Amino acid sequence: MSAKESLSKPLYRLYEDRLQRGLDRSKIPRHIGVIHDGHRRYARDQGLPDYQASYRVGMSKFEEFLQWAAELEIEAVTCWLLSTENLARPAEELAPYYEVLMELFERIPESTAGEDVTVRFIGSLDLLPEDLIESTRRLEARCSSGSRRVTIALAYGGRQEIVDAVKGLVSDLAADGVEASALADSIDPEALSARMYASDLPDPDMVLRTSGEARLSGFLLWQAAYAEYAFVDVYWPAFRHVDFLRALRDFTLSLIHI
């Protein structure tokens, strides 16, 4: 550790403690959506040997993030770990990421032990390799009855979710005998909301994205219509506890002006 790091570490802890003490726990979001962006750019900036190295750092950070959320008793987090657009990347880029994801899914039951967590996956999982699908099933089976909710979006696209919800609603209406001429009158926001992938979750209060990109890229398009957005400059593997606490502080302060 350099002399500069030795000096900055106590200051970091003081700042972290100050942020935690200043948080109004009654205003902390119940449900946070997270876009974990910036792994590849982090690898290039840090001179890492390959993207898989940054993926491993990022997934370790993901486990840390779950601990941070648990400490603050945040009821639900929805984390976007793989988009449908990502699936267009070359197989030689996807395979190392799939491997890191499977390693993560095997660790989560131990890293969240005693935290009363239910893990569920959303997205077009059928587009994924069978060994990764089996890994998701094992994790869901091992973390199936907790009160805190961790939802992991894999092979997920927000537009596809809305399309699937419309298809599901129309199919249900047709099965109930609704005539084609009357279908439009039966389609409303409540009916569509009930057919989203995780319809039993409350809509996210806050959506956080790392890497400095200020867009949703299709994440929870329907559910995040009224969410507060937090765009953080750092790449996900470099995301710190203070970055999370600052985003939460800004969220709680924003409620004062509503």
Side-chain angles (χ1 to χ4, degrees), residues 88-125:
R89 291 177 179 169
E92 58 269 22
E93 289 188 23
L94 287 171
Y97 188 53
Y98 292 158
E99 182 181 332
V100 172
L101 286 176
M102 287 188 284
E103 292 171 0
L104 170 69
F105 299 159
E106 291 302 314
R107 291 196 309 267
I108 284 178
E110 284 70 39
S111 63
T112 60
E115 289 181 14
D116 193 28
V117 171
T118 291
V119 178
R120 183 167 59 182
F121 289 85
I122 59 171
S124 302
L125 300 186

Side-chain angles (χ1 to χ4, degrees), residues 164-234:
D164 288 346
V166 173
K167 286 181 176 179
L169 176 55
V170 170
S171 178
D172 290 344
L173 292 171
D176 289 340
V178 177
E179 296 292 334
S181 59
L183 283 177
D185 293 333
S186 301
I187 297 174
D188 56 36
E190 291 74 22
L192 283 176
S193 292
R195 287 163 178 81
M196 294 295 158
Y197 293 153
S199 59
D200 57 327
L201 285 177
D203 287 343
D205 307 292
M206 182 176 86
V207 174
L208 185 153
R209 180 174 185 154
T210 57
S211 85
E213 301 290 345
R215 61 179 184 271
L216 290 182
S217 298
F219 183 54
L220 300 180
L221 288 175
W222 182 272
Q223 300 91 327
Y226 299 103
E228 295 286 327
Y229 303 135
F231 299 112
V232 183
D233 287 338
V234 298

